[in-house]
Amino acid sequence: MSRSARLLDLVQILRRHRRPVSGRMLADEMGVSIRTLYRDIATLQGQGAPIEGEAGLGYVLRPGFMLPPLMFSDEEIEAIVLGSRWVAKQPDKRLAAAAADALAKIAAVLPDDLREDLDATTLLVGPRSESVEAIDLGVVRKAIRDERKLGFLYSDAGGSTSKRMVWPFALAFFDKVRVMVAWCETRQDFRHFRADRISDLAATDIRYPRRRQAMLKEWRATLAASGQNGRKDTLR
């Protein structure tokens, strides 16, 4: 492990503890000598990290300290690259472009050794399946962010079409389909809408009366209850 990675790990460990933790406990968790631990603490303090305490009393990291955004472990770099590459191949063109742009911005400011690791990662994403979605998923994402109602026509598995007005609060990305999770005014219940069955999507300026975080929490609770009752939740 490089010294920079070790310093990053030390900050992360200190973040997990709200009360002072002894140097010996920190050294044992990191697998280093107590002398190395003291040197690393002094280095971080010298770089501006608000670590309070001293040998024999323990150390604590004051709240609010922001880590330098360019320090990543090998696995963190792999996760960033893999996630960005996957999103870049999704049919949501604006989100795909944003993923590619974000990865380029990260690469542009990384230290040389980390940039090489990012470019050389061997975790690849296979070709995406062809999508037949005719709607702009960016409209759905914006409605979720702004907590606005959406109107559209929806075709069920049998081909029947109905007009819907919904309160969207989540968008799920599966390998072959995207699914909007929403409260449906017609059904007065949570419903899952496959994006490839939606047509005539219309954004509105009407704010729905509940917060999306509250609906997400309630929806998850209904899924858990359905599982406990032995029922299978299906895409609608």
Side-chain angles (χ1 to χ4, degrees):
M1 177 186 295
S2 67
R3 187 163 186 266
S4 60
R6 191 176 73 240
L7 293 175
L8 178 63
D9 284 350
L10 177 55
V11 172
Q12 298 286 34
I13 292 171
L14 286 168
R15 270 186 161 168
R16 295 201 303 266
H17 296 276
R18 295 188 177 183
R19 298 179 181 277
V21 57
S22 71
R24 173 55 62 188
M25 184 178 296
L26 290 170
D28 289 345
E29 185 168 351
M30 296 188 63
V32 299
S33 68
I34 189 67
R35 180 173 297 182
T36 297
L37 184 282
Y38 290 151
R39 284 202 302 265
D40 289 348
I41 290 286
T43 297
L44 288 171
Q45 289 173 327
Q47 293 177 352
I51 300 173
E52 297 179 344
E54 59 185 72
L57 297 178
Y59 299 92
V60 65
L61 180 68
R62 290 205 310 268
F65 175 63
M66 299 298 294
L67 283 172
L70 309 180
M71 300 301 296
F72 299 108
S73 68
D74 291 340
E75 290 186 340
E76 286 170 341
I77 287 178
E78 289 178 341
I80 290 170
V81 174
L82 184 61
S84 297
R85 287 176 175 174
W86 186 84
V87 173
K89 291 193 175 184
Q90 294 303 303
D92 187 331
K93 294 182 179 179
R94 280 182 281 181
L95 199 62
D101 290 345
L103 192 58
K105 288 179 180 178
I106 292 172
V109 293
L110 281 175
D112 291 341
D113 58 336
L114 293 183
R115 188 183 305 116
E116 290 177 2
D117 290 342
L118 185 146
D119 292 337
T121 181
T122 55
L123 299 183
L124 307 176
V125 177
R128 67 177 176 86
S129 58
E130 290 301 319
S131 172
V132 294
E133 296 164 0
I135 65 170
D136 183 354
L137 292 177
V139 173
V140 178
R141 291 189 288 102
K142 188 175 189 306
I144 292 172
R145 289 196 303 269
D146 297 342
E147 298 182 338
R148 295 296 190 269
K149 296 183 181 183
L150 284 175
F152 53 85
L153 295 179
Y154 191 69
S155 299
D156 63 19
S160 298
T161 301
S162 58
K163 189 174 183 179
R164 303 296 182 99
M165 182 65 70
V166 304
W167 310 348
F169 60 87
L171 185 62
F173 287 77
F174 295 91
D175 184 37
K176 296 182 179 180
V177 69
R178 269 51 58 189
V179 177
M180 175 174 61
V181 187
W183 175 267
C184 179
E185 293 185 352
T186 302
R187 306 302 187 201
Q188 286 296 294
D189 199 358
F190 294 114
R191 286 292 187 267
H192 303 144
F193 299 97
R194 287 177 50 147
D196 57 343
R197 296 179 182 171
I198 294 175
S199 60
D200 294 346
L201 181 68
T204 78
D205 292 327
I206 305 172
R207 189 183 187 94
Y208 50 72
R210 300 187 61 193
R211 299 308 304 271
R212 66 174 182 271
Q213 294 93 336
M215 289 196 294
L216 183 63
K217 182 178 180 180
E218 184 178 340
W219 169 73
R220 284 173 171 162
T222 63
L223 291 185
S226 296
Q228 291 170 1
N229 291 332
R231 300 200 310 268
K232 291 183 179 180
D233 188 72
T234 57
L235 300 180
R236 302 294 291 267

